[in-house]
Amino acid sequence: MPLKLLLSGGILLLLTAVRSEELEVLVAAGSQAVLPCKRSSLSSDSSAIIWSKDNHGTVWRKQRSGLQYWGSSWAQKGTQRVHCPHFQFEKGDFSLQIDGVTEEDGGLYTCKADVGRWVTQSLVRLRVITVSVSPPALLWGNDVLLSCSVTPRPDVASFNWKLNDGPLDPQIRTSSDGASVSLKASLRLSGNWTCEVTSGGREGRASAALTVRGILQPSKEDVRFYAAVGSVGSLPCIFSPGLKPSGSLWEKLKPGSLFQPAVDRLPASFSSSSSPAQLPWDKSARVDPVGLEDGGRYRCSASVEGQRLARNMKLVVAKIVQTKEKGSVTLSCHLSDTSEVTEYDWLQVTFDPNGTESARSVLKGKTVRMSQESEQNQWTCRFYGKEGILGNITHRAQLMAGLTGHSSSSGQSQNMAALVGLGLLLLVLLLVLAQMYKNHRRRKQIFQYPALETIVHSISNEREQKERSRVKT
């Protein structure tokens, strides 16, 4: 009898085995969490499954009949946030899916699957990772704190931060446990910040976007902009869209100290007036035309939300210097600042009788030497930096000759007009003098016989008196 009871108990234990194991799952807040609950042998769709959470009762359960039940707190706007896909049951997979995970969802879950006489029980601890940025609205230069929280917090965990999927600058300060980062906001720190957490042999990650508002262009200090002599030089100063910078100011800085440079006079061709087409946050300026003396450092500044933002930039002026010798011409490419230039090359452009343009690279170097006939073609000097071409400047000998001839013709026309005008003036003076002379001659002829004029007048008076006396008689 005792032997029968022992055998029956052993068979019952074999038929009704309960396996229990604990796993950890780390997911980012707002994403979908998959809590595993699997068994090695195949199952039927008539299994009974119960998912529950500590101190929160049933999350989801299915009876053998196929009826399903959800916990009252797992619905969001009429939609259930938890699911257990039926098509996986035949594979022995009873994993629970939770959509839109929140920090409150973190905790210990229990899965109990009753398949015939086999009972599988799994314990899953869900940890929710949240990355927060404080303050949420950042202005360039403000202090910012990024925090990585895990709910529930593990006893032992490691944290690793990444910016735009790249390693973090070692100079950025982190807390002793690595769960937070404090820094001074700048545009280069804008982007996607990711916190990677390792706990219980499992890894999880969560991200948050850090947006720093300020001057977008130029994106950093002392960016160089290149312009040829006589062309239009652009100096961008564009703030983040939506900002309303006030009291904008442009200044040219004298060479010297980088920390407190003296202010120089702006070029006469400098213009910072905003056109109606410009956006309120666009405070860009231009120099038109660019002169050789206009190269140097410029500063754009404006007030935004009670804070003064400024950005320094540099205008580099390019010029081609021409030197003529016996039977040859030398062209040299000169820049007011060559600190970023790593390479020069020259491009010769020719035109056939039909006006078709063709270009070919001549040589590399800052200077090119050619015959006087070759100089009549168009020559372009291109200069490069580490990241590619920086700019170019073109020498047009034919165009310059044409401009010189036009100036000469214009001067000759002006001289001819002056001569014609002077001739007309002399002619008018001669006519006036002739008329004055005629008037003088006429007066002289009238007063040539004054005595005769007196006698004639006396005879006329005597005749009138006689006629009056005859009438009276």
Side-chain angles (χ1 to χ4, degrees):
M1 189 70 178
L3 183 58
K4 286 184 179 182
L5 291 175
L6 184 60
L7 290 174
S8 299
I11 294 172
L12 185 61
L13 287 174
L14 289 173
L15 295 176
T16 315
V18 178
R19 297 187 299 124
S20 181
E21 54 183 345
E22 182 174 335
L23 299 174
E24 283 205 7
V25 174
L26 288 87
V27 297
S31 63
Q32 183 189 72
V34 179
L35 309 186
C37 180
K38 299 179 181 180
R39 54 168 294 161
S40 57
S41 60
L42 298 180
S43 306
S44 63
D45 197 29
S46 60
S47 306
I49 305 145
I50 300 176
W51 274 98
S52 60
K53 183 183 178 184
D54 281 2
N55 303 322
H56 288 78
T58 300
V59 177
W60 177 87
R61 70 185 177 94
K62 184 184 82 72
Q63 296 180 348
R64 293 183 183 276
S65 62
L67 293 177
Q68 301 180 54
Y69 299 90
W70 285 267
S72 59
S73 61
W74 292 94
Q76 187 176 27
K77 296 181 179 180
T79 303
Q80 300 296 336
R81 293 197 301 122
V82 292
H83 308 276
C84 201
H86 290 195
F87 63 89
Q88 298 287 354
F89 290 174
E90 293 183 358
K91 301 177 183 178
D93 188 349
F94 312 107
S95 300
L96 182 71
Q97 297 178 358
I98 305 177
D99 298 329
V101 174
T102 64
E103 291 186 358
E104 291 74 16
D105 295 338
L108 183 62
Y109 291 77
T110 302
C111 168
K112 187 176 180 182
D114 187 354
V115 184
R117 295 186 178 183
W118 291 89
V119 178
T120 299
Q121 180 171 300
S122 298
L123 300 178
V124 183
R125 193 171 297 276
L126 175 62
R127 301 189 190 275
V128 183
I129 309 171
T130 305
V131 176
S132 59
V133 181
S134 179
L138 282 174
L139 198 62
W140 184 88
N142 290 347
D143 293 327
V144 58
L145 178 67
L146 290 97
S147 301
C148 184
S149 62
V150 184
T151 307
R153 180 68 180 255
D155 296 331
V156 179
S158 62
F159 298 85
N160 180 45
W161 287 91
K162 287 186 176 181
L163 174 57
N164 297 324
D165 291 331
L168 209 60
D169 189 339
Q171 296 181 352
I172 296 178
R173 296 175 299 167
T174 60
S175 60
S176 57
D177 60 354
S180 61
V181 178
S182 58
L183 45 87
K184 186 79 70 175
S186 64
L187 293 178
R188 67 183 181 88
L189 298 178
S190 296
N192 195 44
W193 285 76
T194 301
C195 173
E196 297 179 339
V197 182
T198 303
S199 173
R202 300 280 180 168
E203 293 183 355
R205 52 189 289 163
S207 302
L210 176 62
T211 303
V212 180
R213 300 182 303 163
I215 301 177
L216 295 182
Q217 294 184 22
S219 59
K220 57 182 180 180
E221 286 289 318
D222 290 323
V223 175
R224 286 160 175 77
F225 299 96
Y226 296 83
V229 171
S231 67
V232 179
S234 298
L235 296 173
C237 184
I238 302 176
F239 290 74
S240 300
L243 292 182
K244 297 180 180 179
S246 61
S248 60
L249 177 66
W250 275 97
E251 299 169 301
K252 186 178 182 184
L253 308 178
K254 290 183 177 180
S257 174
L258 297 177
F259 299 101
Q260 292 183 343
V263 178
D264 202 352
R265 181 181 299 176
L266 287 170
S269 57
F270 185 91
S271 173
S272 61
S273 57
S274 299
S275 65
Q278 276 185 310
L279 297 171
W281 48 83
D282 187 354
K283 301 300 178 182
S284 302
R286 53 189 249 162
V287 181
D288 184 15
V290 173
L292 190 61
E293 68 283 357
D294 297 336
R297 298 177 68 223
Y298 292 81
R299 178 169 59 201
C300 169
S301 61
S303 296
V304 179
E305 299 179 3
Q307 184 175 340
R308 194 73 182 177
L309 302 183
R311 181 78 79 244
N312 296 332
M313 63 201 77
K314 197 164 190 178
L315 179 63
V316 181
V317 178
K319 179 183 180 182
I320 291 181
V321 178
Q322 178 184 10
T323 305
K324 290 189 175 182
E325 299 176 358
K326 291 183 179 180
S328 65
V329 177
T330 301
L331 301 179
S332 298
C333 192
H334 285 258
L335 279 77
S336 58
D337 182 358
T338 60
S339 58
E340 285 187 345
V341 180
T342 59
E343 183 182 356
Y344 300 85
D345 71 3
W346 288 86
L347 200 67
Q348 181 184 11
V349 180
T350 58
F351 299 89
D352 61 15
N354 297 326
T356 304
E357 177 181 329
S358 60
R360 65 185 182 92
S361 181
V362 178
L363 52 82
K364 295 184 180 296
K366 189 175 181 180
T367 303
V368 63
R369 189 173 182 178
M370 69 201 71
S371 64
Q372 291 184 355
E373 292 78 11
S374 298
E375 192 226 350
Q376 299 306 312
N377 297 323
Q378 178 177 303
W379 292 83
T380 299
C381 172
R382 300 182 298 187
F383 35 94
Y384 302 82
K386 293 180 179 179
E387 298 180 358
I389 188 168
L390 299 174
N392 64 78
I393 182 171
T394 300
H395 174 75
R396 299 180 179 89
Q398 292 178 347
L399 179 61
M400 293 174 64
L403 289 174
T404 303
H406 175 75
S407 299
S408 177
S409 300
S410 177
Q412 292 178 0
S413 300
Q414 291 178 357
N415 293 336
M416 184 62 69
L419 290 175
V420 172
L422 182 60
L424 291 174
L425 180 62
L426 290 175
L427 181 60
V428 170
L429 288 175
L430 287 175
L431 292 174
V432 171
L433 290 175
Q435 186 64 35
M436 291 176 64
Y437 178 74
K438 287 181 179 180
N439 293 338
H440 175 71
R441 290 285 297 174
R442 186 180 296 111
R443 284 195 299 270
K444 190 174 181 181
Q445 289 177 359
I446 291 174
F447 295 106
Q448 188 174 6
Y449 304 102
L452 180 61
E453 184 179 359
T454 302
I455 293 172
V456 173
H457 184 66
S458 300
I459 293 172
S460 177
N461 289 338
E462 289 178 357
R463 186 178 297 166
E464 288 181 0
Q465 290 180 0
K466 287 180 179 180
E467 290 180 353
R468 290 175 184 175
S469 300
R470 190 180 300 120
V471 171
K472 289 181 180 179
T473 305

